[in-house]
Amino acid sequence: MDVSFLGGPQPQRGVGVVAPFDFALDRELWRWVPDEISLHLTRTPFVPVEVSLDLARLVSEHETLGEAVRALGAAEPEVLAYACTSGSFVGGIAGERAMCEAMRRSGELPSLTTSGALLEALDELGARRVALVTPYTQSVTQSLEEYLAQAGVSVTGAADLGLTRHIWKVPYRDVAEMARDAVGGTADVLFISCTNLPTYDVIPQLEAELRIPVISANQVTMWAALRRLGTRAVGPYQALLDPAARRQWPLPDEGLRPGQGLPELPEGQEGWA
């Protein structure tokens, strides 16, 4: 049968993604990506170290990044993204910027990291007070807090699971419980850290319940990468992706906090039972 009338496939634009060796959520990244964009993923080499500050340093070494970026070159991506939160905040703001420069030199392409994308997202939302949810140990969570402090962002509350492995197996229910523990009356936004922690479906539910924007590591990474291509990430009822969704809540500088004079949720939008 002649199928030449179909005319496809359509040209694709690519995002090159470098992820740690234990990354298990490829499908989650794809859920934020519009049809005309392809993701080209590669992983850092395996090292026999559990999730820790030591591992974060190992998977973010510039030589490792350079090799990964060169491996992606054959697919001809238009932008490069390092998809690991701890690996990109462990060296502070200076370390994150150096990582971007190392990737840019190796691939001669615009480059970003998850932690850099986090700061971009906070600026987009006008948020300076953040509640944190992490699967990490306390020492890794503390390193994230220090990174945010360098950017002038204060942490109003934090909850962590203390995990060193199998983070991708954490259910949404546990993420939601941590979010309720972390968010107090002064947070402008909730950030769910770690690209290996599932978050796509829980974001709109938590936003409806907590009445503040909720952002996650994989979400901000894809949002920032796609923005550099002049396109938008896709996702239902997510405040970072859809400015209209932010109208449910006052802006941070209006002085109202969750539970203090906030509007009712839109009809038909429910929180967690």
Side-chain angles (χ1 to χ4, degrees), residues 220-243:
V220 299
T221 304
M222 289 296 95
W223 168 80
L226 293 167
R227 191 159 74 154
R228 282 161 173 75
L229 295 182
T231 189
R232 296 175 57 182
V234 296
Y237 309 110
Q238 298 180 24
L240 177 63
L241 312 186
D242 182 5

Side-chain angles (χ1 to χ4, degrees), residues 94-118:
E96 190 277 333
R97 290 174 178 169
M99 290 176 65
C100 290
E101 178 59 21
M103 290 191 295
R104 188 198 64 76
R105 287 197 309 269
S106 295
E108 298 184 349
L109 291 170
S111 301
L112 62 101
T113 74
T114 298
S115 295
L118 166 61

Side-chain angles (χ1 to χ4, degrees), residues 32-105:
W32 276 290
V33 178
D35 289 343
E36 69 274 12
I37 305 296
S38 285
L39 298 182
H40 312 303
L41 282 93
T42 191
R43 283 165 168 75
T44 62
F46 170 77
V47 289
V49 178
E50 293 183 326
V51 176
S52 61
L53 291 175
D54 287 339
L55 178 61
R57 296 184 184 101
L58 287 170
V59 297
S60 60
E61 292 177 341
H62 290 189
E63 182 178 353
T64 297
L65 293 177
E67 292 175 358
V69 167
R70 287 188 287 274
L72 289 168
E76 299 182 348
E78 296 181 43
V79 64
L80 299 168
Y82 175 74
C84 177
T85 326
S86 61
S88 52
F89 67 60
V90 69
I93 288 180
E96 190 277 333
R97 290 174 178 169
M99 290 176 65
C100 290
E101 178 59 21
M103 290 191 295
R104 188 198 64 76
R105 287 197 309 269

Side-chain angles (χ1 to χ4, degrees), residues 205-273:
Q205 299 292 340
L206 284 175
E207 287 189 332
E209 177 181 337
L210 302 175
R211 298 186 176 186
I212 57 174
V214 175
I215 57 178
S216 75
N218 284 328
Q219 181 205 46
V220 299
T221 304
M222 289 296 95
W223 168 80
L226 293 167
R227 191 159 74 154
R228 282 161 173 75
L229 295 182
T231 189
R232 296 175 57 182
V234 296
Y237 309 110
Q238 298 180 24
L240 177 63
L241 312 186
D242 182 5
R246 303 173 202 169
R247 297 175 191 149
Q248 300 174 64
W249 316 291
L251 296 174
D253 58 7
E254 290 178 349
L256 293 178
R257 304 269 56 83
Q260 299 178 356
L262 290 167
E264 294 298 321
L265 290 175
E267 185 176 353
Q269 189 171 7
E270 299 177 352
W272 288 83

